[in-house]
């Protein structure tokens, strides 16, 4: 199996402007993400960015980068432009690694790409892991996914699901019952190139707009999404200064996840 990785990187992050160029152990964050990608089985790794400085930083370190339009509303649209520019074939698999994930385990990236290769009826593959605490279960920032018998997504939601009716009947404080399973969706995606080309033309789904979850557009329009269920959660990405310091400490220790 061969596949490609495209890493979208935007300069104007809301919480950390200039985030892709922030230093981690002597190199820009976006380069560190690309280095993680190079440990996978991907045949080609490309950074998709809206800023020439990010292109320059990548090229200095031997990382391929493509300058895209600034106006893309989502990272998926940015990846789609790269697919067009690089003439990816319709059935080529393209994995989206976010540009703020310098601790992404390469083995998980390979597993998500492999899952999509094994599921010819699916346009997308993604990942999830079990939710361990009632706080995460009730947290709207923790996106949940419900699966069908084929291991494919039925829906994504910010709401707590499935709702353990009997265990929660008495009201708060809540405790998750034994053998209860809810899944936290992880924003790691593998796509078929044909879907990426079609994505921006698909009409937004009402539920997508309500939940602010763009993956619901694919389900709304009849596409199938395979889900890899991981045994444990992945290392968090970088959204804040404290996240950045945490990642720098991991690199200083040298114990990066595989």
């Amino acid at each position: 199996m061969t596949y490609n990785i495209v890493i979208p990187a935007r300069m104007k992050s809301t919480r950390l402007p200039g985030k892709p160029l922030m230093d981690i152990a002597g190199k820009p964050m976006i380069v560190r993400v690309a280095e993680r990608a190079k440990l996978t089985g991907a045949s080609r790794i490309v950074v998709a960015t809206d800023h020439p400085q990010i292109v320059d930083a990548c090229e200095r370190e031997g990382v391929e980068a493509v300058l895209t339009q600034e106006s893309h509303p989502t990272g998926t649209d940015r990846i789609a432009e790269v697919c067009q520019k690089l003439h990816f074939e319709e059935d080529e698999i393209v994995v989206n690694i976010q540009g703020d994930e310098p601790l992404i385990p390469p083995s998980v990236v390979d597993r998500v790409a492999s899952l999509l290769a094994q599921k010819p009826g699916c346009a997308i593959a993604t990942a999830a892991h079990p939710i361990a605490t009632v706080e995460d279960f009730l947290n709207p920032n923790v996106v949940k996914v419900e699966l069908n018998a084929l291991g494919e997504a039925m829906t994504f939601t910010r709401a707590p699901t499935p709702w353990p009716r009997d265990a929660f009947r008495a009201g708060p404080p809540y405790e998750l019952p034994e053998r209860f399973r809810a899944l936290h969706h992880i924003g790691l995606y593998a796509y078929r190139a044909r879907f990426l080309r079609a994505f921006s033309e698909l009409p937004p789904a009402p539920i997508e707009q309500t939940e602010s979850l763009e993956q619901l557009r694919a389900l709304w329009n009849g596409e199938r999404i395979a889900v890899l269920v991981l045994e444990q959660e992945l290392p968090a990405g970088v959204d804040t200064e404290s996240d950045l310091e945490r990642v720098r400490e991991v690199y200083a220790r040298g114990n990066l996840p595989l």
Side-chain angles (χ1 to χ4, degrees):
M1 178 197 70
T2 60
Y3 73 92
N4 310 286
I5 290 174
V6 179
I7 307 169
R10 191 169 62 94
M11 186 67 90
K12 294 181 180 178
S13 167
T14 305
R15 293 197 222 177
L16 281 178
K19 179 165 63 171
L21 299 181
M22 290 186 171
D23 181 85
I24 297 176
K27 293 182 182 180
M29 183 188 306
I30 189 61
V31 171
R32 291 300 187 189
V33 176
E35 288 176 345
R36 302 298 287 161
K38 288 179 180 180
L39 298 176
T40 71
S43 57
R44 190 171 187 179
I45 296 151
V46 184
V47 170
T49 181
D50 63 350
H51 204 283
Q53 282 183 264
I54 297 176
V55 173
D56 292 344
C58 289
E59 291 181 344
R60 282 196 298 270
E61 297 289 341
V63 175
E64 184 179 3
V66 173
L67 189 64
T68 61
Q69 300 174 29
E70 291 185 34
S71 58
H72 288 308
T74 70
T76 309
D77 293 294
R78 198 172 305 284
I79 295 169
E81 182 184 343
V82 169
C83 287
Q84 294 281 34
K85 284 186 170 180
L86 300 183
H87 307 291
F88 287 166
E89 298 292 333
E90 292 287 284
D91 262 344
E92 281 195 71
I93 292 173
V94 181
V95 174
N96 170 7
I97 297 179
Q98 297 300 322
D100 57 4
E101 297 280 353
L103 298 180
I104 188 78
S107 61
V108 173
V109 178
D110 283 336
R111 290 172 65 189
V112 171
S114 178
L115 177 62
L116 186 56
Q118 295 164 23
K119 291 267 197 173
C122 293
I124 306 170
T126 188
H129 65 77
I131 291 174
T133 68
V134 71
E135 290 78 15
D136 281 350
F137 181 63
L138 298 174
N139 185 349
N141 294 316
V142 174
V143 177
K144 292 85 179 174
V145 58
E146 285 284 356
L147 309 186
N148 63 18
L150 300 175
E152 298 171 11
M154 294 192 296
T155 193
F156 298 86
T157 181
R158 298 180 183 279
T161 185
W163 185 259
R165 186 193 64 172
D166 292 341
F168 283 11
R169 191 187 299 275
Y174 296 121
E175 291 186 10
L176 297 181
E178 290 186 19
R179 294 184 294 278
F180 173 77
R181 189 176 86 154
L183 294 175
H184 178 184
H185 175 239
I186 300 163
L188 171 64
Y189 294 97
Y191 301 98
R192 297 193 189 280
R194 63 144 182 99
F195 170 81
L196 287 166
R197 291 194 178 95
F199 174 77
S200 62
E201 303 301 321
L202 293 176
I207 191 172
E208 168 196 357
Q209 295 171 319
T210 299
E211 294 257 18
S212 294
L213 297 173
E214 70 177 55
Q215 64 269 40
L216 289 168
R217 187 184 313 181
L219 293 180
W220 175 261
N221 286 281
E223 298 287 2
R224 292 163 55 190
I225 302 177
V227 181
L228 173 70
V229 179
L230 303 170
E231 300 76 24
Q232 57 190 16
E233 62 185 296
L234 298 184
V238 176
D239 286 324
T240 65
E241 285 284 355
S242 61
D243 291 335
L244 183 60
E245 289 308 314
R246 169 180 50 81
V247 169
R248 285 169 171 165
E249 289 173 8
V250 172
Y251 270 78
R253 295 194 300 269
N255 55 342
L256 303 183
L258 297 175

